[in-house]
Amino acid sequence: MRTEQAIREFLASRTAQNLSKETIAWYKGRLYPFERACPMLPRRPEPIEMFFSTMTWSHETQWDVYRALKTFYKFLAARRHVPNPMLEIKAPRRPKIVMPTLEANEIIKLLHTADNLQDRTILTLMIDTGVRSGEVCSLLKHNIRQETIIVQGKIGWREVPISEETRELLLQVAATSPIDYVFHNSTGQIGRHSMYDLVRSYMKKAGIKGPKLGPHRLRHAFGKNFLVQGGDLRSLQEIMGHADIETTQKYASLNLNDIVKKHRQFSPLRAVRAAELAELLNPDEAIKEAEAILLKGNNDKGDSQSIQNP
């Protein structure tokens, strides 16, 4: 069987399931390189492993290709009864990365850079809700509710809570829009590329550094700060429109509050600094104080381990 035909059947099945255009495009981008490398559909793992060995993309892209091929072959095994070589292939190594977000002071700077009502409203909406850029572009006037907005995302329509300030700004912009969509430009509905350029330009103007200067960084910032402020994962999943809770759990690793507190409490440097300060008054007492701090840290650690391993 030719790989091209298999991919065409697979994509047709995804389209029949009403998956979004973005998801279909995601599959195409990850399966077409495989088609070029393997014109005839491999039924053994070796050609697929050879394909992976020649990939020069990032670890994240390799992982995406692996995921796409797993779904692709699972479909073929069920539909065409084709052997599934992906069952014998281990996932490529995927080093842990830290998603770029924004600190509170950076968010304040970003909001202050907006020089017109619509741009400030777009930034405020993304920071307040974590909605995707496409969901912002397609927001309709009649979908602004008293305490929520209704957006269409990857998994369908959902209702997203908004702050009072955000709602007031949305209503002001909607009142000036000549079309059914809240946000517009000279040609009509604002597009995702324009949205990306808008956010990126304001981030640069605010002096924000690093990768991912675009709408998705605002989405990451919302997810992180929602949890930092005490929000729970289940609510965050609903707000952000994640089909799987595992996607939402990535934001839990960004909540470092508890880790930072523990570091401040147990870092050996704290004992050293205390000793240096006290040494000016009484060297013997300084040593005793440092030893007491370290001993307390070890005892607390032992208590914690005993609780975890009763």
Side-chain angles (χ1 to χ4, degrees):
M1 183 178 187
R2 294 193 63 82
T3 306
E4 178 185 4
Q5 178 186 348
I7 292 177
R8 187 166 58 248
E9 291 182 8
F10 170 73
L11 294 177
S13 75
R14 303 299 102 169
T15 302
Q17 293 177 19
N18 290 326
L19 297 189
S20 68
K21 293 180 180 179
E22 291 77 14
T23 301
I24 300 299
W26 183 89
Y27 277 117
K28 288 180 179 179
R30 282 138 190 86
L31 292 177
Y32 283 171
F34 176 68
E35 175 196 331
R36 291 192 293 269
C38 304
M40 297 304 296
L41 185 70
R43 294 171 176 252
R44 295 282 306 159
E46 291 81 6
I48 302 175
E49 290 175 331
M50 183 62 68
F51 165 68
F52 277 111
S53 71
T54 60
M55 291 175 63
T56 58
W57 302 320
S58 68
H59 293 295
E60 283 298 310
T61 302
Q62 291 181 38
W63 172 256
D64 283 350
V65 173
Y66 173 81
R67 287 172 52 209
L69 284 174
K70 279 192 68 176
T71 306
F72 172 60
Y73 269 101
K74 184 178 180 180
F75 163 80
L76 292 176
R79 180 68 60 85
R80 287 273 193 164
H81 305 291
V82 171
N84 188 350
M86 293 301 296
L87 296 175
E88 302 179 48
I89 298 177
K90 291 185 178 180
R93 187 172 65 89
R94 187 189 183 196
K96 185 178 179 180
I97 61 172
V98 177
M99 291 187 294
T101 64
L102 297 174
E103 298 296 330
N105 63 319
E106 292 177 315
I107 292 175
I108 293 172
K109 287 182 181 178
L110 181 61
L111 288 174
H112 286 169
T113 61
D115 53 19
N116 64 72
L117 176 62
Q118 175 162 285
D119 291 355
R120 180 178 177 82
T121 303
I122 288 172
L123 295 176
T124 301
L125 176 62
M126 288 184 164
I127 290 169
D128 185 33
T129 64
V131 291
R132 301 177 180 91
S133 57
E135 294 168 349
V136 176
C137 296
S138 60
L139 179 62
L140 295 164
K141 294 178 181 179
H142 65 265
N143 282 336
I144 303 173
R145 303 299 177 87
Q146 190 64 37
E147 297 180 331
T148 62
I149 56 173
I150 298 176
V151 298
Q152 185 176 22
K154 291 184 177 181
I155 59 173
W157 294 91
R158 73 181 189 281
E159 203 161 0
V160 179
I162 56 174
S163 300
E164 183 178 348
E165 175 189 354
T166 303
R167 181 176 184 273
E168 291 177 357
L169 290 172
L170 286 171
L171 292 176
Q172 291 180 51
V173 174
T176 67
S177 176
I179 56 178
D180 291 335
Y181 296 99
V182 176
F183 301 107
H184 67 283
N185 54 26
S186 59
T187 60
Q189 177 190 3
I190 191 171
R192 290 199 301 164
H193 291 297
S194 297
M195 187 76 64
Y196 177 86
D197 291 340
L198 181 151
V199 175
R200 182 180 176 85
S201 65
Y202 279 123
M203 282 188 171
K204 286 186 173 182
K205 187 176 178 180
I208 296 172
K209 307 294 183 182
K212 307 293 183 182
L213 295 182
H216 222 65
R217 186 162 176 181
L218 295 183
R219 184 167 165 83
H220 291 333
F222 168 79
K224 171 191 173 181
N225 285 284
F226 182 87
L227 294 177
V228 167
Q229 298 300 321
D232 62 279
L233 279 174
R234 187 68 184 87
S235 298
L236 182 60
Q237 180 189 8
E238 288 294 322
I239 294 171
M240 300 190 76
H242 291 149
D244 195 324
I245 191 66
E246 290 184 4
T247 305
T248 317
Q249 286 172 340
K250 294 188 299 182
Y251 293 93
S253 65
L254 299 177
N255 185 3
L256 297 177
N257 279 6
D258 188 55
I259 297 175
V260 170
K261 290 178 182 177
K262 291 290 178 64
H263 176 266
R264 288 174 180 170
Q265 183 178 359
F266 300 122
S267 171
L269 186 60
R270 180 170 174 262
V272 173
R273 293 304 182 211
E276 287 180 342
L277 180 62
E279 188 178 18
L280 298 174
L281 302 176
N282 189 326
D284 293 334
E285 289 298 323
I287 294 174
K288 290 180 180 179
E289 182 178 350
E291 290 176 343
I293 292 174
L294 290 175
L295 180 61
K296 181 181 183 301
N298 290 332
N299 289 338
D300 289 343
K301 182 178 180 181
D303 293 342
S304 175
Q305 290 176 342
S306 66
I307 292 173
Q308 293 176 4
N309 302 292

